[in-house]
Amino acid sequence: MIKAILVFNNHGKPRLAKFFQHYSEDEQQQIVRETFHLVSRRDDNVCSFLEGGTLIGGSDYRLIYRHYATLYFVFCVDSSESELGILDLIQVFVETLDRCFENVCELDLIFHVDKVHFILSEIVMGGMVLETNMNEIVSRYMEQDKLEKSEAGLSAAPAKAAAAIKNIDLPTLPKDLKIPNIELPKLPSFR
C-alpha cells in the first residue's frame, strides 16, 4: 500500500504532498524534511529505493523516488508493493502530467494544484493504485477540464445578462420631469 506521495524541488520546497495515513501538519512537515534529506543526499548513479525514515515507518517502509530536472517524485510504500512497479507508476504520473500540461514544469504544480490532485486521484486513491493507462487518465482529465470550462461559461451568465439589459432600448424619460424637493428630518448628532 502507498503511504504517502511527495513531490518537492531541489531546495526541499514541497510542491505536492498526499498522505494516505493521518499525520498532524507538524508531522507531515517533518516527514517532508526528513524525506528530502534522505533522498537529496543520494548520488544519481545509485538505485532509487531506500528504507523509509524514522518518521515514516523505518525499515518496514521503502522510499521510491525519481529525480526529474528540478523535482523529486517520492512514493513511500510498504513491503507489499513492488519497487519496480512503483518506479513505473512514477513514470506514468510524470508522463501524464506532461501530456496534460504540455511540457510540465514546477510552476504547473504550483499554479494548478487542483488539476494535479485530480490527475493523482485518477491514478491512486486511498493508497491503492487505480489506473495506470495514461490514455484513460488523460481522457478523464480532458473530460473534467471540458466540464470546468462549460461551468465557467455558466458563471459568466449573470454578467452577460446585465450587459444585455443595458443594451435594451428603453423609452427615454421626459426632459422636463419635475421631482419635488422633500426635506428630510434632521438626525441627532452623537458626539
Side-chain angles (χ1 to χ4, degrees):
M1 184 170 165
I2 299 170
K3 196 168 184 179
I5 299 172
L6 306 171
V7 179
F8 41 79
N9 68 11
N10 289 340
H11 303 292
K13 300 258 189 236
R15 298 305 182 209
L16 174 75
K18 182 76 175 174
F19 290 89
F20 298 105
Q21 185 174 343
H22 177 72
Y23 292 103
S24 70
E25 192 158 330
D26 288 338
E27 289 173 321
Q28 290 179 11
Q29 290 175 1
Q30 289 174 346
I31 289 169
V32 169
R33 277 194 298 273
E34 181 182 28
T35 304
F36 171 72
H37 288 297
L38 288 170
V39 170
S40 65
R41 292 181 179 170
R42 291 176 61 90
D43 195 16
D44 288 338
N45 346 357
V46 298
C47 77
S48 298
F49 320 135
L50 68 147
E51 284 186 1
T54 56
L55 295 172
I56 200 80
S59 62
D60 294 338
Y61 288 89
R62 301 262 182 261
L63 297 177
I64 302 167
Y65 69 95
R66 296 287 301 260
H67 187 205
Y68 296 95
T70 63
L71 295 172
Y72 287 94
F73 289 79
V74 182
F75 280 48
C76 175
V77 299
D78 64 15
S79 58
S80 68
E81 294 289 340
S82 162
E83 286 92 352
L84 293 175
I86 296 297
L87 269 180
D88 190 46
L89 189 64
I90 294 171
Q91 186 70 27
V92 167
F93 181 42
V94 172
E95 284 186 34
T96 303
L97 289 173
D98 199 51
R99 280 193 197 177
C100 292
F101 292 112
E102 298 172 9
N103 201 8
V104 70
C105 67
E106 185 175 348
L107 291 176
D108 291 319
L109 299 181
I110 295 169
F111 292 116
H112 302 289
V113 174
D114 55 335
K115 293 178 180 182
V116 173
H117 276 281
F118 178 82
I119 293 167
L120 184 59
S121 68
E122 287 294 312
I123 299 171
V124 178
M125 187 172 286
M128 303 299 287
V129 178
L130 294 178
E131 184 65 65
T132 58
N133 184 337
M134 276 186 280
N135 294 328
E136 283 292 319
I137 300 163
V138 171
S139 168
R140 299 294 167 259
Y141 171 79
M142 294 301 177
E143 289 171 7
Q144 179 68 20
D145 197 45
K146 184 178 177 184
L147 182 64
E148 286 177 6
K149 286 178 181 173
S150 71
E151 287 176 355
L154 290 176
S155 68
K160 290 178 183 176
I165 289 175
K166 287 181 182 178
N167 295 333
I168 294 177
D169 188 25
L170 295 175
T172 59
L173 292 173
K175 293 181 181 179
D176 58 350
L177 184 65
K178 297 197 180 195
I179 301 173
N181 262 347
I182 301 174
E183 199 167 306
L184 297 173
K186 291 197 174 206
L187 297 173
S189 64
F190 298 99
R191 292 184 192 198

